[in-house]
Amino acid sequence: MGKGKAEAGTPKYLANKMKAKGLQKLRWYCQMCQKQCRDENGFKCHTMSESHQRQILLFADNAGRFIDSFSSEFMTGYLQILRRQFGTKRVAANKVYQEYISDRHHLHMNSTKWHSLSEFVKFLGRNGHCVADETEKGWFITYIDRDPETLAMQEKMAKKQKMDKDDEERLAEFIEEQVRRGHKEEEPSSSTSYTELKRDNEEETIKLNLKLGTTIKVESKPIKLEKRPFETAADEDRKEKKFKPGSSSSGVFKKPSALDELIREEEIKKEKTNRKDYWLAEGIVVKLVSKSLGEKFYKEKGVVLDVIDRYRAKIKLLETGDKLKVDQAHLETVIPAIGKQVLVLNGGYRGNTATLKEIDTDNYCATIEIASGPLKGRIVNNVQYEDISKLF
């Protein structure tokens, strides 16, 4: 007489339920039939069954299609866990995998085209799904949000920022025009032209007629100047020193004009508006700073040929001529020699070309002179290295 199923509520019934709930060994799982066996004997019996043999025949007819389907399903489930639970935070790849396999009905990796988690993570990094970097503690990944709704929202924000930028440029041009007019009004106007005194005959004597036609007698009375009660000799001495030409008056605060305040407020507003988390631009020189693409590309320099979805770039290496698609997380800017042209990649002057004037190696910043746009000629100090890059 064969053994029947354990009755509900008995210890054996509860033990069977606990075993069925937990994860079993991966080698006893059949992906085609989606059946998990508890031991080697059960798996052997399953492989000899008629239903399993039919599934194997279907797989043999088109193995590539099944493997691609399993690979796509595995990657989709893994990326959903990464996006929903961890967002764009940097996390260990194995931690995400443990969360994925905690579901009993997950798709197993041995049914995909990847033989290991490391190989799968490298694939995600090469194809731009996430940023992958290897450390002593294993592989870490950071999700890159490519959701269409997010991209649509970013495009709307970019259009709005462009409109705001156009308004700011018009205001900047208006301010510059007012400044130029103010400088012109401050310059002394001279309507009289002075010429050199010349004489036809060097021996001729110059005579001046000082005879006045009318003599006016003016009777003047002495005027007595009195001190104000609250002014002392010390006060007068301070006034004389304060207004004496050429004297230094470090204690005197010069209040900025309304125009200076307006320019300062506009620069602060432009800095906040144009500060982004992406900085790639065509025509700049960048350096590869990640070893995940291979040792031969590490520290190599290249020029950006095209920007893809703001965060990725197609670059051409300067020495070998190889072309790569790289995420901006694997790149850094290049600072040229003093006097060379750079492109401002972030901040209030984003998009303007400039000339490198000075470099502060201790504070990793530079001084530049804007060479394009309505603010051409403006000197900008303390510009961070990551906000500018050499132009090719």
Side-chain angles (χ1 to χ4, degrees), residues 161-372:
Q161 290 166 3
K162 185 178 185 302
M163 294 176 63
D164 294 341
K165 183 178 179 181
D166 293 340
D167 294 338
E168 291 170 4
E169 289 180 352
R170 286 194 292 270
L171 181 58
E173 291 177 358
F174 172 75
I175 293 173
E176 289 293 326
E177 181 63 25
Q178 296 299 320
V179 172
R180 284 194 293 268
R181 290 183 180 179
H183 289 330
K184 287 182 179 179
E185 292 177 357
E186 292 176 359
E187 294 178 358
S189 58
S190 175
S191 59
T192 306
S193 59
Y194 299 93
T195 59
E196 183 181 356
L197 176 63
K198 295 182 179 181
R199 289 184 293 175
D200 295 335
N201 188 0
E202 295 293 335
E203 297 179 356
E204 183 179 355
T205 304
I206 299 176
K207 297 180 181 181
L208 299 177
N209 186 4
L210 300 178
K211 186 177 179 180
L212 299 177
T214 307
T215 303
I216 302 175
K217 184 177 181 182
V218 179
E219 184 178 355
S220 60
K221 293 182 180 181
I223 301 175
K224 185 178 180 181
L225 299 176
E226 296 181 356
K227 292 182 180 179
R228 295 184 180 180
F230 57 87
E231 290 182 346
T232 62
D235 293 332
E236 291 183 350
D237 184 61
R238 281 195 299 270
K239 284 184 178 181
E240 183 179 357
K241 289 182 179 180
K242 181 177 178 180
F243 295 102
K244 184 178 180 181
S247 63
S248 61
S249 55
S250 57
V252 180
F253 174 73
K254 182 181 179 181
K255 185 179 179 181
S257 64
L259 183 60
D260 294 335
E261 289 290 342
L262 183 59
I263 293 175
R264 180 173 175 273
E265 290 177 2
E266 286 300 320
E267 288 184 344
I268 294 174
K269 183 179 178 182
K270 287 179 65 177
E271 172 65 25
K272 292 181 179 179
T273 304
N274 294 332
R275 177 65 58 178
K276 309 294 181 185
D277 62 343
Y278 53 88
W279 51 267
L280 291 171
E282 295 181 8
I284 62 172
V285 179
V286 292
K287 181 190 292 185
L288 285 162
V289 292
S290 175
K291 294 182 179 179
S292 61
L293 299 174
E295 289 289 341
K296 67 175 183 177
F297 298 135
Y298 184 60
K299 294 295 183 181
E300 288 291 322
K301 295 180 181 179
V303 58
V304 176
L305 301 178
D306 188 21
V307 178
I308 306 170
D309 295 333
R310 295 192 181 94
Y311 298 92
R312 298 180 65 210
K314 181 179 181 181
I315 67 172
K316 180 180 180 181
L317 299 183
L318 297 180
E319 289 190 4
T320 62
D322 293 333
K323 294 182 180 180
L324 306 172
K325 288 184 180 180
V326 191
D327 193 273
Q328 72 173 18
H330 297 159
L331 302 170
E332 69 176 17
T333 59
V334 174
I335 306 301
I338 293 177
K340 298 295 184 180
Q341 293 289 305
V342 297
L343 182 66
V344 184
L345 305 174
N346 224 335
Y349 301 94
R350 185 187 186 112
N352 290 326
T353 58
T355 303
L356 187 64
K357 306 297 288 186
E358 296 180 7
I359 298 177
D360 186 355
T361 55
D362 295 333
N363 297 313
Y364 303 99
C365 60
T367 299
I368 61 174
E369 179 180 352
I370 303 299
S372 65

Side-chain angles (χ1 to χ4, degrees), residues 53-227:
Q53 295 296 328
R54 286 198 301 267
Q55 294 294 329
I56 292 299
L57 291 175
L58 290 174
F59 179 81
D61 290 340
N62 198 341
R65 182 171 63 86
F66 281 101
I67 292 178
D68 290 342
S69 177
F70 292 151
S71 301
S72 177
E73 184 178 346
F74 175 82
M75 184 177 70
T76 301
Y78 186 92
L79 291 178
Q80 284 179 350
I81 295 289
L82 176 62
R83 178 172 61 88
R84 293 174 180 173
Q85 296 192 21
F86 303 98
T88 56
K89 295 180 181 179
R90 184 172 178 268
V91 64
N94 188 55
K95 184 177 181 180
V96 183
Y97 180 70
Q98 295 300 323
E99 291 289 336
Y100 175 74
I101 66 175
S102 63
D103 182 8
R104 182 187 174 193
H105 301 288
H106 71 277
L107 192 142
H108 296 268
M109 183 180 285
N110 64 347
S111 304
T112 68
K113 60 184 177 182
W114 302 290
H115 301 291
S116 64
L117 181 61
S118 299
E119 185 178 349
F120 173 64
V121 171
K122 291 178 183 178
F123 173 83
L124 294 179
R126 286 195 304 267
N127 290 270
H129 297 289
C130 62
V131 178
D133 57 296
E134 187 178 13
T135 65
E136 296 178 354
K137 297 181 179 180
W139 283 92
F140 282 78
I141 55 176
T142 306
Y143 181 72
I144 301 174
D145 195 353
R146 307 294 190 199
D147 186 65
E149 294 182 359
T150 305
L151 294 177
M153 184 63 69
Q154 290 176 351
E155 290 180 359
K156 290 181 180 179
M157 292 297 296
K159 291 180 180 179
K160 184 178 181 300
Q161 290 166 3
K162 185 178 185 302
M163 294 176 63
D164 294 341
K165 183 178 179 181
D166 293 340
D167 294 338
E168 291 170 4
E169 289 180 352
R170 286 194 292 270
L171 181 58
E173 291 177 358
F174 172 75
I175 293 173
E176 289 293 326
E177 181 63 25
Q178 296 299 320
V179 172
R180 284 194 293 268
R181 290 183 180 179
H183 289 330
K184 287 182 179 179
E185 292 177 357
E186 292 176 359
E187 294 178 358
S189 58
S190 175
S191 59
T192 306
S193 59
Y194 299 93
T195 59
E196 183 181 356
L197 176 63
K198 295 182 179 181
R199 289 184 293 175
D200 295 335
N201 188 0
E202 295 293 335
E203 297 179 356
E204 183 179 355
T205 304
I206 299 176
K207 297 180 181 181
L208 299 177
N209 186 4
L210 300 178
K211 186 177 179 180
L212 299 177
T214 307
T215 303
I216 302 175
K217 184 177 181 182
V218 179
E219 184 178 355
S220 60
K221 293 182 180 181
I223 301 175
K224 185 178 180 181
L225 299 176
E226 296 181 356
K227 292 182 180 179

